[in-house]
Structure formats: structure tokens, C-alpha cells
Amino acid sequence: MEEGSEMRGKYVADISSIREAQERIKSFIHKTPVLSSETLNAVAGRRLFFKCEFFQKGGAFKFRGACNAVLSLDNDQAAKGVVTHSSGNHAAALSLAAKLRGIPAYIVIPESAPKCKVENVVRYGGQVIWSEATMQSRESVASKVLQETGAVLVHPYNDGRIISGQGTISLELLEQAPEIDTLIVPISGGGLISGVALAAKSINPAIRVFAAEPSGANDAAQSKEAGRIITLPETNTIADGLRAFLGDLTWPIVRDLVDDVITVEDKEIIEAMKLCYEILKVAVEPSGAIGLAAVLSDNFKKNRAWKNCNNIGIVLSGGNVDLGKLWDSFKQ
Amino acid sequence: MEEGSEMRGKYVADISSIREAQERIKSFIHKTPVLSSETLNAVAGRRLFFKCEFFQKGGAFKFRGACNAVLSLDNDQAAKGVVTHSSGNHAAALSLAAKLRGIPAYIVIPESAPKCKVENVVRYGGQVIWSEATMQSRESVASKVLQETGAVLVHPYNDGRIISGQGTISLELLEQAPEIDTLIVPISGGGLISGVALAAKSINPAIRVFAAEPSGANDAAQSKEAGRIITLPETNTIADGLRAFLGDLTWPIVRDLVDDVITVEDKEIIEAMKLCYEILKVAVEPSGAIGLAAVLSDNFKKNRAWKNCNNIGIVLSGGNVDLGKLWDSFKQ
């Protein structure tokens, strides 16, 4: 049977579009290493494989999707540039991808974005346009820029090109550690986990895919429970990258291919960041460390699949964290 | 001509003992990855290859030598255990190596050692015996333990088995990045750089090897200048792992095979740690980051070989740093 045949054409991306994305971006991205630690294996009682996307260009997995989107544009489209709104990592990634192609990137950033993420946008030559912190303000400012410039909107996650780009993580990871039987992936708008799940389940239909979500922004858990997209009036979590809600293109994939959502408390996220720093020796942001928090959580141990999860791939998704903030959170 | 033939038998270690060490330890150590960053390449104006020994077991390169030493002991020797005095990373490494062989490790630690390094010793089952901070007190306490237990002294650097173990870094690195024409390596007692230089110059006699040293503990620079081992009445540097002096076994190798010593100020070390954290996304201790500080220093740019150093391998040697201390140093 053809690889991933049941999923082909059913969603906005599939194993073919993900393999095409890999061909398109492979000379521009880092093939990120997989780390392991016997100390953390002992703590978790499982073998853990950490896919280090904080080492990706721009400091997060987002460059994969952004690069795929920018390189997919035809020359006429590309000339007018790209625009997006983002809490930071997608913004930096899109700026960098645009820079590589020599086209402008207009970046709408909420005032609440972490300083180091804004600095990355500026470092990569993106043009910063400020908005208020709400999703509504972000989208309306972006749509104004869109009209004025004729640039192409590259949504942070609700976009097939983005999902396909992020899915290349699974192609690499399952080659680096083929024994993986379970994947744990942060969920926010769902772009990352949609790509990862589509690719992983096409390669190995038996693989489990869990989402990791902060309890203070648990819209995905609620959506899976309700069987439809749930949005929240407000979110409250240290994981600034995980406050978005599912989109109409990511939801069907999350609904069908994500086995379960594991919610964790902020204090578990902080503890996971600390373990990343002290044991793995790496700088991971709160949103990036949530997969480790999920693996170590009671909620995971209560999951009925837990006893069968022996070799667990964890996507450490980003590393853009202000050191002062990190230290303050450790002292709490 | 036989590989490294001019150096065979001349020093306490050579390319043969280093290759033997690699065979002995390879199933116990991590083959550490090499990271690169276009941002840091641009800052340095050179291509940089970061050998990530902070990912080594125990958080530093020291495990290579300690593992080689412990596995070299015959069963009768091994049964009585091993003893050492160390500011921390060698201590943790020896504890871990002893634990793997199931023998006791007696560790003399100066009161001034960083907390996280002492915790590593305890984590790996080493028996901590405190001394004062001076080298004299460390050595006299160690010698007392030696008499009482009959254990084998494994010196942190002045030992052929240790030097051979550390030399395995070059075997890996020059395979991972054969284009390297220059190596920059922290220097303290000289165990690391002796092994690295012996292996590297046996493989490629044209390769340059520079030592990186804090100006507040510049005994190696002074020794090279004077043509004999110079010790200092006191040292003053944030790099707690770089306060030891050359030994009679490391000195001839440093004298003959280290092309030059680049001294840097503590503020340059702190800036390098910050770049490691913010750009490379890794936790590197002061002693571990000094190679990057050296590459970016004015002292390196003034070196007459500088214009020919195009592909530079930097050993980031350790990552055991208390986060609070790191943050305090950034605020200075």
C-alpha cells in the first residue's frame, strides 16, 4: 500500500507535500541533532529522544514552515513580500526566510512579545509593525498591511505550506531514532503537531502522537473533548508561544491524528526548563520544554496508553528565552 | 611515514595511546555533536566549529580521560578504588567512571567548588572529602586518603591515561569537520590541550593549536614565554576550572605542540557565555566558553597566524554552571 495512502488528499497537507517540502528546504535548514540523557531516562522510566529544534535557524522549528512557504511562492508573488502576525518565533523565521530570498517581510508583533524574539525579527531584517496583544488586533493590523503592500499573508499555522514544512521534523527524527513508538509535541495553533502527526503516521501508522498543552491555555484539550474547535476568552500561561487556538485547517488533523492531549501546569513547565538547562545543558523556552513536562507529568502516567510508551520522541521546539525571565521563573 | 611518528614515545601519550583510549571508552562516552552558527561565523569573520563537550556524560570532556583511566586498571588495582582532588568536573567524571566499573571513588573537593559540580559528584556516587581551596591542601588531603584506602590516585591532568582519553576529542572532531585548520582549546593543567594537540598534529601536522587562558590565571602564557613551568601565588578569574598549573607530564607537550596562548579577560568570557546561551542555545560554564572568547578577542586578531585561521574548531569543554551565578555575571 502506498505510504500514508489513507491520509492523502484528505487534509491540507500529506506525506507527499511534506516530502516535497523537505526537498525544497533541506539545503537551508539545520538537520537538528537528537539528544539523550541516561539521567532523564531514569527520571522518566522511559527512553527519551529529544529532537532539538531550538537549534534550528532562528532558534525554533518555525523556520521549516516559513522557509517552505517563502520558497513555494512564484516570482511575482514573492516580489511584493510576505506578511504575518506572530508572538515571535514564526515572525523571526519568516524574516529570515524572506531575507534568504531577498524579499521584504512585514511582521505584526503584539506588544506582549518577549524582547529576545523581537530582537530576532530585527536581526533577520523583518520590518516590525506593532499591534495590541489580542488575536483580533493582530489580525486586523495584519490585514491592513496586506492591503497596503500587496504582500502575501503567511499564517503562522493555518496554512498547508507551513504544516508541510513542520512535518519534515518527523522525517528526520524517525530516521535518527526509528525505535520511537510515541511522539510528544507542543500544541498551540496546531501547525507543528499536524505536520508531525501526518508524516509520522504515514511512515508508521502504529505510532502514538500526544499533544502537550498548558492547562492555562487548554483549548486543544477542550476541542478534542467537544469534537469541535473551542476558543477561550483568555489564556494564562508562562508558555507565550502556546496561546493560539486551532485553525480550520489544523483542526481536522488534530481531531483525527492526535491520540490525546496532555495538559500540564506552569510549574511543571518551569521544572522541565530547569532539567533542560541543568541536565541536557540546553536553553529551551517554556513553550519548547512543555513536551518534557508532559512526559514527567502525572497526567501522562494516568493515560491508558502510558504503559506501552517505551521509546518517546519529544520535540523541544524553541529556545528563545530571555535569561533574566528564566532565572526569575526558577526562583518562584 | 607512520602517523605521528615524530611524536611517538617522546611524551607520556601519543597517537597510539589515544587510539587505544578511543577503543576502550567508545561504548561508554557520548560522541558529542559539532554545532555551527552563521550568526557567530559573521561575528568572528571565520567559520567556527563548536565541539560540544558540555554534552559529554557528567557535563564535561573530563569523562573521556577518567573513563580511560578507570578502565585501564587491572582488577586488583581497581578493587581498592580511585581517589582524586578536583574543582569539580574531573571529580564527577571519575565518580561516574568508577560507578560504571563498580568500584569506590574518593573525591577531595575544595570548599570553593561550585555547588552544581559537587552535586554531580554526589549524583554519581562519589564519596566527598572536603579540603581547603589551595592546591597544597587539596594534594595533602588526597595523599592522606590514598594511604588510608590503598586506592589509586587519578590525577586530573598530569597522567598519560587522562591525556590519552582527552585526545579522543580530536579523533572525533577532525572526522566531523576535516576542514578545520585551527583548534582553540581551554588550558588549565594542560591535560585537555595535550591530548587534543597530540592527536590533531599526528593526523594533520599543519594544524594550529591555540590555548585559551584567563588573564587572571595566565601561568601557561608565562610558562611558554619563560620556557619553563611558572606557577602563580594566586589566581583570579570567573573560570573556576582554569586555575590549575601545568604538570611535569603536560608541560613538554604544551611547550612543543601548542602554537600560542591567547589570554582573555573575564568580561570577554562572560560575553562568550552569553553568546553561547543566546545564539547557540547551550549552557556553557565560564571555563567552557573561553575558546569562543579567545576567537573573538583582540589578542587573537593581533596574532600573526590569525589571517590564516579560516576554519576554527573550538572545544566548548563543560556546561556545569549554576544558573543563578550565570545570571549574576550577566548583570555585572
Side-chain angles (χ1 to χ4, degrees), chain A residues 30 33 35-36 38-39 54-55 57 59 123-124 277 279-283 319-324 326-327 330, chain B residues 30 33 35-36 38-39 54-55 57 59 123-124 277 279-283 319-324 326-327 330:
Chain A
H30 285 313
L35 291 179
S36 62
E38 285 173 27
T39 303
F54 53 85
F55 285 143
K57 289 184 185 174
R123 174 181 296 140
Y124 298 133
Y277 184 86
I279 308 292
L280 291 179
K281 310 295 179 192
V282 295
N320 294 319
V321 56
D322 288 326
L323 190 65
L326 179 66
W327 175 234
F330 285 9
Chain B
H30 286 311
L35 291 179
S36 62
E38 285 173 25
T39 302
F54 53 85
F55 285 144
K57 289 184 185 175
R123 174 181 296 141
Y124 298 133
Y277 184 85
I279 308 291
L280 290 180
K281 311 296 177 193
V282 295
N320 294 319
V321 56
D322 288 325
L323 189 66
L326 179 66
W327 175 234
F330 284 7

Side-chain angles (χ1 to χ4, degrees), chain B residues 34-37 40-41 44-51 173-174 177-185 207-210 262 291-292 294-297 300-301 305-316:
Chain B
V34 174
L35 291 179
S36 62
S37 156
L40 291 180
N41 289 351
R46 296 291 184 268
R47 284 184 69 199
L48 307 180
F49 300 86
F50 296 96
K51 181 65 170 164
L173 178 55
L174 295 180
E179 61 270 62
I180 284 175
D181 54 41
T182 306
L183 288 168
I184 301 196
V185 186
I207 216 162
R208 277 171 225 92
V209 178
F210 290 105
I262 301 162
L292 176 58
V295 163
L296 301 178
S297 70
F300 183 45
K301 291 184 189 110
W306 180 69
K307 64 177 190 307
N308 298 318
C309 301
N310 296 309
N311 295 294
I312 304 177
I314 298 172
V315 180
L316 297 177

Side-chain angles (χ1 to χ4, degrees), chain A residues 94 137 146 260:
Chain A
L94 192 68
S137 165
L146 212 65
D260 223 331

Side-chain angles (χ1 to χ4, degrees), chain A residues 221-282:
Chain A
Q222 290 192 39
S223 299
K224 289 279 283 181
E225 180 78 19
R228 62 186 171 83
I229 298 177
I230 301 284
T231 61
L232 305 173
E234 59 181 20
T235 57
N236 179 18
T237 173
I238 191 178
D240 59 275
L242 301 182
R243 290 188 292 223
F245 306 132
L246 296 166
D248 63 330
L249 300 177
T250 53
W251 161 243
I253 308 172
V254 170
R255 180 192 61 205
D256 298 346
L257 301 185
V258 172
D259 292 86
D260 223 331
V261 181
I262 301 162
T263 56
V264 297
E265 302 300 322
D266 274 10
K267 66 175 193 296
E268 295 174 297
I269 295 175
I270 291 166
E271 181 58 27
M273 287 169 72
K274 205 168 174 176
L275 290 171
C276 285
Y277 184 86
E278 292 182 349
I279 308 292
L280 291 179
K281 310 295 179 192
V282 295

Side-chain angles (χ1 to χ4, degrees), chain A residues 24-188:
Chain A
R24 198 174 283 126
I25 69 179
K26 71 179 177 191
S27 62
F28 300 95
I29 64 165
H30 285 313
K31 181 172 176 177
T32 54
V34 174
L35 291 179
S36 62
S37 156
E38 285 173 27
T39 303
L40 291 180
N41 288 351
V43 173
R46 298 290 185 269
R47 283 184 69 200
L48 308 180
F49 300 86
F50 295 97
K51 181 64 170 165
C52 296
E53 283 298 302
F54 53 85
F55 285 143
Q56 192 50 263
K57 289 184 185 174
F61 72 94
K62 294 279 189 180
F63 183 63
R64 295 174 184 266
C67 197
N68 188 47
V70 166
L71 296 178
S72 298
L73 299 174
D74 67 34
N75 287 339
D76 288 346
Q77 289 177 309
K80 291 183 177 168
V82 286
V83 58
T84 198
H85 53 85
S86 162
S87 69
N89 282 334
H90 172 67
L94 192 68
S95 301
L96 181 56
K99 187 182 173 190
L100 290 174
R101 192 159 175 181
I103 63 175
Y106 307 99
I107 310 293
V108 179
I109 298 189
E111 293 155 347
S112 58
K115 188 166 150 277
C116 65
K117 294 189 178 180
V118 180
E119 284 171 356
N120 277 346
V121 170
V122 173
R123 174 181 296 140
Y124 298 133
Q127 301 182 29
V128 176
I129 300 146
W130 295 100
S131 80
E132 291 169 40
T134 64
M135 188 54 70
Q136 199 182 10
S137 165
R138 290 158 65 166
E139 288 181 351
S140 82
V141 173
S143 121
K144 190 155 163 279
V145 175
L146 212 65
Q147 285 164 8
E148 287 170 5
T149 60
V152 179
L153 178 71
V154 181
H155 193 277
Y157 53 86
N158 206 41
D159 181 312
R161 300 163 298 185
I162 295 293
I163 294 170
S164 297
Q166 323 304 31
T168 60
I169 291 171
S170 287
L171 303 185
E172 287 179 19
L173 178 55
L174 295 180
E175 195 184 282
Q176 290 164 313
E179 61 269 60
I180 284 175
D181 54 42
T182 305
L183 288 168
I184 300 197
V185 186
I187 194 164
S188 182

